[in-house]
Amino acid sequence: MYRKPVQLYASERVIEDFYEAIASNNTRILNKVHIPKSDVFYVREALRSRLGKSYTLDHVERAMYLEGHLKRHEVLDPDRKRPGVG
């Protein structure tokens, strides 16, 4: 039986989306939430505190991948170009 692949999406509300899906027992939403590695959250916060500028989780994750800190399978859409990031 053919199963359609699940389309994941990047969100700045990862934690909220995750808990909302669990609270409503909605596995369809839960399966679509892309949760970056914890390193991405830490690096984003370090950048914000040092540079005073906020970057999206998607941008930080892609930059970490391009710099070799994340593997291809750990990144949402690793080949998709992001504005301002390689």
Side-chain angles (χ1 to χ4, degrees), residues 2 4 8 18-19 22 27-30 32-33 40 52 56 59 62-63 72 76 79 82 85-86:
Y2 174 75
K4 256 178 29 178
L8 297 176
F18 176 76
Y19 283 117
I22 289 176
T27 57
R28 285 177 53 195
I29 292 174
L30 188 59
K32 291 182 178 185
V33 175
V40 176
T56 65
H59 276 147
R62 170 79 171 158
R72 181 177 185 75
L76 178 65
D79 296 322
R82 276 72 164 185
V85 178

Side-chain angles (χ1 to χ4, degrees), residues 1-80:
M1 178 160 101
Y2 174 75
R3 292 182 66 157
K4 256 178 29 178
V6 174
Q7 179 64 41
L8 297 176
Y9 66 94
S11 172
E12 291 302 301
R13 299 184 60 238
V14 174
I15 304 299
E16 293 89 345
D17 291 346
F18 176 76
Y19 283 117
E20 191 175 301
I22 289 176
S24 66
N25 199 24
N26 190 337
T27 57
R28 285 177 53 195
I29 292 174
L30 188 59
N31 288 337
K32 291 182 178 185
V33 175
H34 170 68
I35 303 172
K37 289 186 73 168
S38 60
D39 295 2
V40 176
F41 290 91
Y42 290 116
V43 168
R44 181 174 78 158
E45 182 56 28
L47 289 169
R48 189 198 60 73
S49 68
R50 289 192 178 107
L51 303 176
K53 183 174 180 191
S54 293
Y55 293 93
T56 65
L57 289 168
D58 189 49
H59 276 147
V60 174
E61 182 179 63
R62 170 79 171 158
M64 288 177 69
Y65 167 67
L66 292 174
E67 291 294 324
H69 297 287
L70 295 175
K71 295 183 172 105
R72 181 177 185 75
H73 71 275
E74 298 172 321
V75 179
L76 178 65
D77 300 328
D79 296 322
R80 181 174 48 88

